Amino acid sequence: MEIINSKENKKVKEARKLFQKKYRDKTGHYLIEGFHLLEEALASNAEIVTIFVAASKADRVSADRMVVVSDDVLKTLSDEETPQGVVAEVVKSLQSVDFSGNRYLVLENVQDPGNVGTLIRTADAAGFDTVICVGQTADIYSPKVLRSAQGSTFHLSIQTYSEL
């Protein structure tokens, strides 16, 4: 098993750019972190580009898109103080709003990423069908929103409109 030890590895550097919204928008990809979010992504058949896993946790992941990296390299792919050992690059899903549902949550100008994630998670738990983010609402693909949502972004149709 080959382990990437260089923080300057091209694949690692490209993934690290996804911390910035402009690169997430440009590529249509984003990063998720942790085994729970990876399990949710796999269960929802999300399109996963690469799974970066720390050498110390490689036994917990078996996937053909897996790349084993040193713990130091994984830390550069994480925005957490203590990384969980796995980061995955995922393709944004293009969903259209399904207005045949019964429950919609509209978030307008909710700027705190933790609050956006919590509201998405709550909508999922309450049986909502769609979350619509308008105005200056925090980016649903930011690491903090995804962490707060705890996988609910894979269960709901989520639409964003920066200008309405």
Side-chain angles (χ1 to χ4, degrees), residues 111-155:
Q111 296 179 352
D112 182 87
N115 289 347
V116 172
T118 299
L119 288 164
I120 290 170
R121 189 175 73 239
T122 303
D124 184 25
F128 280 59
D129 303 298
T130 301
V131 175
I132 301 170
C133 302
V134 297
Q136 298 301 310
T137 298
D139 180 18
I140 63 164
Y141 297 105
S142 76
K144 289 182 181 179
V145 170
L146 293 166
R147 202 169 31 251
S148 296
Q150 285 295 301
S152 290
T153 53
F154 297 111
H155 305 160

Side-chain angles (χ1 to χ4, degrees), residues 46 63 73 85 88 94:
V73 170
L94 300 174

Side-chain angles (χ1 to χ4, degrees), residues 6-22:
S6 172
K7 297 173 188 173
E8 300 305 312
N9 176 280
K10 182 179 180 181
K11 191 173 273 199
V12 172
K13 284 173 67 172
E14 289 298 312
R16 206 167 29 240
K17 289 180 182 178
L18 297 174
F19 283 122
Q20 299 175 46
K21 183 181 183 325
K22 70 179 180 179

